[in-house]
Amino acid sequence: MAKKYLPLTICTAILVLIVGLLGGISEEIPPLKAHPLPPTLAQWQDPTNSGDYFEQVKPTTAGYLVWAQFPVKVYIQQEQTDPAIAPDRVQQWLEAVSQAVQEWNIYLPLEVVQQPDGADITILRSRPTLRPSLDPSTGQLQLPRVRSAETRYEFYIRKSQDAPTVLSHRFNIQISPNQAPIYTLPSARHELGHALGIWGHSPKETDALYFSQVRNSPPISPRDINTLKRIYEQPTRLGWQLPNDIGN
Ligand SMILES: [Zn+2]
């Protein structure tokens, strides 16, 4: 999602399932429509008038990746699955990721849940899987870069007994426990920004969604929130009821 990468590139964004799901039910998906602005964003005013980078955020086939139901459920991997990682490193990772959740929680209500089942955003303590990717400019397969974090999303049809069947999405974030601990918080902050709807990168290194890691990682900036607010004003198919019940 960026033209230029520094060695500490932190982000690769990958979409799965969109062709299979939206292609197969193209006449059944909800029409594009904006949701009411969440109160936390409606109240947001930028005293510094510092603008945004909304033009860098591209909608998906399902529209903008906004959440419609709050709090958004976030699962943070607790259990230790890799004995090679020292317990204090695990603890540092957990604290950094939890802090990133608390920072975004000011702007959109988030809830940390104890089980991955049913979570909207799952954050795993693992190194992103290395996969070759296709370079669209050359048509050649590229060797994977070593990355410290990766965020993916998928669409699915959410059914529940006491609510309408809606088109929904869920995010999976992998944040490596092997990078220097000082980078875990900015990684988590950045990837959570993607998962909350900022599906693009800022060209300014003073924003949390700057495309690459920098030495002095910035906090969530007014420009990040201005961008987030504009995204939540946009139309989406997500979170809306399916025109027909296609679930049977
Ligand atoms: Zn990114």
Side-chain angles (χ1 to χ4, degrees):
M1 301 184 67
K3 290 175 187 153
K4 185 181 147 202
Y5 285 90
L6 300 176
L8 285 171
T9 297
I10 56 176
C11 183
T12 301
I14 294 173
L15 164 64
V16 291
L17 271 188
I18 187 166
V19 175
L21 180 54
L22 293 189
I25 58 168
S26 56
E27 291 174 16
E28 312 281 357
I29 57 178
L32 288 164
K33 190 176 162 191
H35 289 279
L37 199 55
T40 40
L41 288 180
Q43 291 159 12
W44 162 255
Q45 301 293 337
D46 173 14
T48 60
N49 217 0
S50 53
D52 60 60
Y53 48 92
F54 175 73
E55 71 282 0
Q56 303 296 325
V57 179
K58 300 290 175 252
T60 71
T61 315
Y64 286 85
L65 297 174
V66 309
W67 296 101
Q69 206 171 334
F70 298 98
V72 177
K73 295 187 177 70
V74 182
Y75 171 73
I76 304 171
Q77 182 182 347
Q78 297 290 324
E79 74 275 15
Q80 170 64 300
T81 52
D82 184 352
I85 300 164
D88 62 334
R89 180 56 69 88
V90 172
Q91 194 56 37
Q92 287 169 335
W93 186 95
L94 284 170
E95 286 170 8
V97 173
S98 300
Q99 186 181 328
V101 171
Q102 291 313 313
E103 289 179 6
W104 283 109
N105 183 51
I106 296 168
Y107 307 105
L108 284 174
L110 308 179
E111 178 190 5
V112 175
V113 295
Q114 300 306 313
Q115 297 297 329
D117 296 346
D120 300 308
I121 301 171
T122 299
I123 306 177
L124 299 177
R125 190 170 53 253
S126 57
R127 235 192 304 225
T129 319
L130 294 177
R131 306 174 192 78
S133 61
L134 196 65
D135 182 336
S137 57
T138 64
Q140 302 288 312
L141 280 179
Q142 294 176 307
L143 288 176
R145 292 183 182 84
V146 175
R147 296 185 298 267
S148 55
E150 181 177 288
T151 294
R152 330 168 124 232
Y153 67 89
E154 64 182 14
F155 298 124
Y156 71 104
I157 304 226
R158 190 174 69 207
K159 296 178 192 175
S160 51
Q161 287 188 331
D162 49 2
T165 298
V166 299
L167 182 64
S168 193
H169 66 315
R170 58 186 158 222
F171 269 91
N172 190 296
I173 299 174
Q174 290 175 288
I175 298 173
S176 172
N178 300 103
Q179 62 181 335
I182 193 174
Y183 289 123
T184 308
L185 173 58
S187 284
R189 188 188 283 137
H190 177 107
E191 302 301 329
L192 265 172
H194 285 318
L196 294 177
I198 308 178
W199 198 246
H201 285 127
S202 166
K204 284 199 180 179
E205 63 179 51
T206 47
D207 297 329
L209 272 287
Y210 183 56
F211 66 81
S212 190
Q213 242 174 11
V214 289
R215 285 285 155 198
N216 299 307
S217 304
I220 297 169
S221 70
R223 282 164 46 84
D224 290 320
I225 304 306
N226 291 341
T227 303
L228 190 69
K229 185 171 180 172
R230 284 192 67 184
I231 291 166
Y232 276 76
E233 293 167 343
Q234 305 305 312
T236 186
R237 303 181 198 281
L238 296 168
W240 293 113
Q241 187 170 2
L242 297 180
N244 303 302
D245 184 12
I246 60 164
N248 296 316

